[in-house]
Amino acid sequence: MRHPANPHPHRKFWYRLHKIFLFILASVTTFILVLALYLFWPRPLSPYAESFTLIAHRGVSQTFPLDNLENDTCTAEIIYPPTHPYLENTILSIQAAFDYGADIVEIDVHPTTDNQLAVFHDWTVDCRTNNQGITHEQNMATLKQLDIGYGYTADGGQTFPFRGKGIGLMPTFNEVMEAFPDRRFLVDQKDTFEKTVKLLAESLLKHSPQQRRNIHLFSTENRYAIAKATVPELQKLFPTRKEAKACIPQYLSMVFSGEISKVCGQYALGIPSKLLPYVPGWPGLLLTRAQEANLKVYVGFAEKVN
């Protein structure tokens, strides 16, 4: 009895399909390996950066563990054992930061009921001070009476090394401007009020155009525009979160091309240090391409420093 010329045609089909699948798998794997090697292969930064800009977050401050932080975590209650006497967002801590070599100091501002700007980080005064209440619902005279070192402890509340040492140390924004007329600041608006940026603009108008050019505002695009309409010299150092998210594809393509659009390249790229191991091309490739694209890159370090 004769056998058919091709008794199992389906086997040949599946054999070809299997070969196609293996070819695609090998191609994709090779592409991923080549891409990974390109992005993560250690390489020197060329050309080397000629200078660095140091931004001091809240001046010289007490540090704390960064793990498992929530929006309502009272960080004053979990500080490391103090190695210096400074409390964040004070004239003394700002001066210390500049003395240590900071180029820019970041400070936080809240409006007060008597139309001033208090330099303080927290939404409420509960965590750090000897009082309670929402920060922007206080007048400046009341805030000046608070002990801003009251809540700091490194041993779970057994001792409070800064109690009694922070009375009257919460400054106004205008006091900071008067104390440091030729220094650069990054002002972080901690609320969502138009009132805050209007007060900021009014305060800046009291100072020289050169001093106004030394101020960078971190806020939303709309509130930044409100302040800049009154103070044209006001600058923005970093994009808003919305702007940065929109520019992520451009940041990634820049790693290959060394080019970036004017919109995404007009402000600096900020990267928290804990994310650096996951940043494609860090450090040599990304920084080299950023230099080619004339994009400034800032790295945020918040670890304990002895």
Side-chain angles (χ1 to χ4, degrees):
M1 183 175 178
R2 276 186 172 183
H3 293 285
N6 188 9
H8 301 292
H10 62 282
R11 289 184 178 179
K12 187 174 183 179
F13 169 77
W14 287 111
Y15 176 72
R16 289 178 177 176
L17 187 63
H18 181 67
K19 288 183 66 176
I20 293 173
F21 172 77
L22 290 178
F23 174 78
I24 293 175
L25 179 61
S27 299
V28 172
T29 302
T30 301
F31 173 78
I32 293 174
L33 288 174
V34 170
L35 180 62
L37 286 172
Y38 176 78
L39 293 177
F40 295 103
W41 185 265
R43 67 191 79 193
L45 175 61
S46 178
Y48 289 99
E50 296 179 354
S51 64
F52 295 87
T53 300
L54 177 62
I55 302 176
H57 188 227
R58 310 183 203 174
V60 176
S61 59
Q62 300 301 318
T63 54
F64 46 84
L66 300 178
D67 300 329
N68 304 316
L69 294 181
E70 303 291 342
N71 287 335
D72 59 350
T73 300
C74 178
T75 56
E77 294 179 346
I78 57 172
I79 62 170
Y80 293 113
T83 59
H84 61 76
Y86 302 108
L87 297 172
E88 64 182 50
N89 280 313
T90 63
I91 298 293
L92 293 174
S93 73
I94 294 170
Q95 182 62 64
F98 286 130
D99 290 344
Y100 282 127
D103 300 288
I104 303 174
V105 170
E106 184 268 353
I107 58 176
D108 308 291
V109 296
H110 294 269
T112 63
T113 56
D114 54 344
N115 295 324
Q116 298 189 64
L117 287 177
V119 179
F120 189 68
H121 177 269
D122 296 356
W123 183 254
T124 72
V125 299
D126 302 28
C127 169
R128 301 180 196 282
T129 81
N130 54 332
N131 206 342
Q132 295 182 332
I134 297 174
T135 305
H136 72 257
E137 293 181 354
Q138 320 287 325
N139 60 47
M140 200 64 220
T142 299
L143 294 176
K144 284 285 190 183
Q145 295 174 5
L146 300 181
D147 178 1
I148 63 171
Y150 187 85
Y152 285 82
T153 180
D155 51 17
Q158 297 183 50
T159 60
F160 294 88
F162 295 103
R163 278 194 178 177
K165 300 177 181 179
I167 300 173
L169 293 188
M170 188 187 305
T172 66
F173 176 74
N174 195 54
E175 287 172 340
V176 172
M177 292 297 95
E178 291 177 349
F180 306 98
D182 58 349
R183 295 293 194 168
R184 297 172 64 192
F185 287 91
L186 173 60
V187 180
D188 188 355
Q189 182 186 0
K190 303 306 293 183
D191 55 58
T192 60
F193 308 136
E194 289 188 6
K195 173 184 177 180
T196 305
V197 291
K198 290 179 178 178
L199 289 173
L200 177 68
E202 291 174 6
S203 180
L204 288 175
L205 288 177
K206 301 174 184 177
H207 304 282
S208 70
Q210 179 55 53
Q211 188 169 6
R212 296 197 291 266
R213 279 190 286 271
N214 286 335
I215 306 303
H216 306 267
L217 175 62
F218 185 73
S219 185
T220 65
E221 185 64 28
N222 290 339
R223 293 194 290 273
Y224 172 75
I226 291 172
K228 192 170 179 65
T230 303
V231 184
E233 300 90 349
L234 186 65
Q235 302 191 51
K236 185 162 66 169
L237 188 62
F238 296 109
T240 63
R241 290 181 178 87
K242 181 178 179 181
E243 291 170 331
K245 185 177 180 180
C247 287
I248 286 177
Q250 295 235 8
Y251 296 142
L252 293 175
S253 66
M254 179 198 69
V255 175
F256 298 93
S257 67
E259 297 179 354
I260 197 168
S261 71
K262 183 177 180 180
V263 172
C264 293
Q266 62 182 322
Y267 305 122
L269 171 62
I271 308 174
S273 60
K274 63 181 180 180
L275 298 182
L276 293 180
Y278 313 103
V279 175
W282 179 265
L285 177 61
L286 186 143
L287 293 179
T288 297
R289 293 291 184 258
Q291 285 184 340
E292 294 172 0
N294 199 30
L295 174 70
K296 293 183 178 180
V297 178
Y298 288 85
V299 177
F301 290 96
E303 290 82 3
K304 180 183 178 183
V305 178
N306 287 321

